[in-house]
Amino acid sequence: MPKVTESRIPFGEHETWVRVTEPDTPQDGALPLVVLHGGPGMAHNYLRNLAGLVDTGRTVILYDQIGCGNSTHLPEAPADFWTPQLFVDEFANLVQELGLAEYHLLGQSWGGMLGAEIATRQPEGLRSLAICNSPASMGLWAEAAAELRSRLPETTQQILALHEAVGTTGDPEYVAAAEEFYRRHVCRLDPTPQDFRESEEQMEAEPTVYHTMNGPNEFHVIGTLREWSIIDRLGAINVPTLVLAGEHDEATPATWQPYVDGIKDARAHVYPDASHCVHLEHPEGFRSVIGDFLAQHDGPNPHA
């Protein structure tokens, strides 16, 4: 049986909760994988099944980013506290405290954006990067969301627009209309998996990070990340990169193509009959694609 250890790592005056799953039979040369969750603020729960990659003989590390899940919550922190650099620093602290000399990095949604931010800093131990279901800029994300919204039933579009105009996005009618978008482009499983519900429920209970950085939902981005873009910095990423998305993903090809174009050693994989949560909709297939990619890049660091 894999060994599972949970702990809290000091991060300045705060704490980062981390869960480390170690294989009972380690694969020789298999480097650990660190997983970055989305949101921002959705916590690790919905990515829990990625710990199944431990079956390939590697350690898998999931953690809750500051402000959500089991890590320190800071509901009174000002908006300018919540920056990408904060989470880059938290990750660097985690790697140092866990003593990771070399590792792979996988980020889903916002986690992929964060992974790209980290990779542009060229950390010494980073061996590969998997960017899953992530846009390269929030401008492209907003354009894609608008296009996908235009395909919703006319009545649904009208309800969304009405409540957004008057700021009543918490109204049950608006929430119900937004669910139509989620069913098509976020998670197409019915019922919604428990792991996803857990992440969503903890975010709704304390939405500081998500509402501050993103906004009320996936397609009405009015938070501090609305101007974010990494497109002009992608040339700094110097590790093999896999860009993965779903056929019906809210992260449409237009949002992630800049990663493929801008990162020297990048390739794309689009998973059929899947949306934003490929890892939940097709867990074994997703882990197979990721596992093969990681195994290809477990060798010596060419940048050492």
Side-chain angles (χ1 to χ4, degrees), residues 24-223:
D24 52 1
T25 307
Q27 175 68 35
D28 186 38
L31 299 176
L33 171 67
V34 184
V35 178
L36 306 173
H37 65 70
M42 282 289 286
H44 80 285
N45 308 60
Y46 78 105
L47 294 172
R48 188 180 287 144
N49 71 3
L50 294 190
L53 285 162
V54 73
D55 292 341
T56 64
R58 73 179 70 252
T59 294
V60 181
I61 300 164
L62 294 100
Y63 70 99
D64 286 339
Q65 296 158 27
I66 187 172
C68 68
N70 300 304
S71 294
T72 302
H73 287 230
L74 297 164
E76 303 303 322
D80 60 6
F81 176 82
W82 304 106
T83 65
Q85 186 61 49
L86 170 71
F87 297 98
V88 171
D89 292 342
E90 180 184 31
F91 173 81
N93 180 73
L94 180 85
V95 167
Q96 180 177 346
E97 291 296 318
L98 293 179
L100 302 180
E102 290 189 306
Y103 53 89
H104 299 291
L105 186 58
L106 181 152
Q108 196 277 336
S109 195
W110 148 253
M113 298 157 61
L114 176 57
E117 285 277 0
I118 291 165
T120 63
R121 275 72 166 179
Q122 301 182 354
E124 185 176 350
L126 180 61
R127 290 292 294 109
S128 78
L129 173 65
I131 298 174
C132 303
N133 322 99
S134 309
S137 87
M138 292 308 284
L140 292 174
W141 178 267
E143 291 174 8
E147 169 61 25
L148 295 175
R149 275 180 63 156
S150 72
R151 304 175 193 174
L152 295 174
E154 186 65 31
T155 301
T156 303
Q157 294 183 54
Q158 292 173 354
I159 292 171
L160 294 173
L162 173 65
H163 286 285
E164 288 167 2
V166 296
T168 53
T169 55
D171 189 285
E173 183 184 49
Y174 179 86
V175 173
E179 279 301 315
E180 179 61 28
F181 183 95
Y182 277 62
R183 283 192 293 269
R184 294 183 181 205
H185 304 296
V186 179
C187 185
R188 294 164 70 86
L189 297 176
D190 186 17
T192 303
Q194 177 64 26
D195 288 352
F196 187 91
R197 290 201 303 271
E198 287 180 11
S199 283
E200 196 170 47
E201 288 167 2
Q202 68 81 35
M203 185 273 291
E204 292 172 349
E206 210 284 79
T208 300
V209 182
Y210 188 77
H211 284 183
T212 300
M213 297 184 74
N214 185 82
N217 56 47
E218 293 291 279
F219 52 81
H220 189 44
V221 180
I222 56 176

Side-chain angles (χ1 to χ4, degrees), residues 231-245:
I231 294 174
D232 62 351
R233 294 178 281 141
L234 292 175
I237 297 178
N238 62 357
V239 295
T241 301
L242 173 66
V243 181
L244 187 147

